[in-house]
Amino acid sequence: MYSEKVLEHFMNPRNVGEIEDANGVAQVGNPKCGDIMKMYLKIENGIIVDAKFKTFGCGAAVATSSMATEMVKGKTIEEALQITNKAVAEALDGLPPNKLHCSVLAEEAIKAAIEDYLSKQKQQTQN
Ligand code: FES
């Protein structure tokens, strides 16, 4: 069974959409089910000031993306990199065991979007 929080974030997902001037963007896929999540981050002075996502996936994937974007906002890159799928699932009062893999997508999307940001920064300093 899903917790109330999971259902609530599924019905009213926060931060759905795109950020036009995002400076960290990544798309990750879940090999188990084929669902995909695209994450947009806006990072200023090492702080994530905005986060949005688009998820083509199950209810648990939508709820975890919603919670994950809420959790990273206002955090430093270092803090955001510490967020695990377990932490996201716990913030939602847990996920059914067979749905835990869905929360991995959220963790991976955040990490990949931050990596995208960092690699762009590197390119800029090299030029
Ligand atoms: Fe694919 Fe949940 S079943 S992310």
Side-chain angles (χ1 to χ4, degrees), residues 9 32 84 115:
H9 274 264
K32 283 200 183 170
T84 59
E115 270 164 31

Side-chain angles (χ1 to χ4, degrees), residues 24-104:
V25 181
Q27 181 171 305
V28 295
N30 188 328
K32 283 200 183 170
C33 59
D35 290 347
I36 52 177
M37 182 184 297
K38 193 158 185 183
M39 180 71 68
Y40 301 81
L41 297 178
K42 186 161 167 64
I43 301 172
E44 277 170 12
N45 302 321
I47 302 209
I48 299 173
V49 292
D50 202 6
K52 285 201 192 305
F53 75 94
K54 279 185 176 169
T55 292
F56 305 93
C58 71
V62 171
T64 48
S65 337
S66 167
M67 181 53 91
T69 47
E70 285 288 272
M71 287 168 80
V72 297
K73 276 204 258 176
K75 289 213 164 48
T76 64
I77 293 175
E78 290 75 21
E79 288 166 342
L81 286 172
Q82 305 296 319
I83 295 176
T84 59
N85 72 305
K86 260 180 107 185
V88 177
E90 273 165 23
L92 287 165
D93 293 339
L95 282 170
N98 64 344
K99 283 283 167 185
L100 258 185
H101 73 98
C102 313
S103 61
V104 175

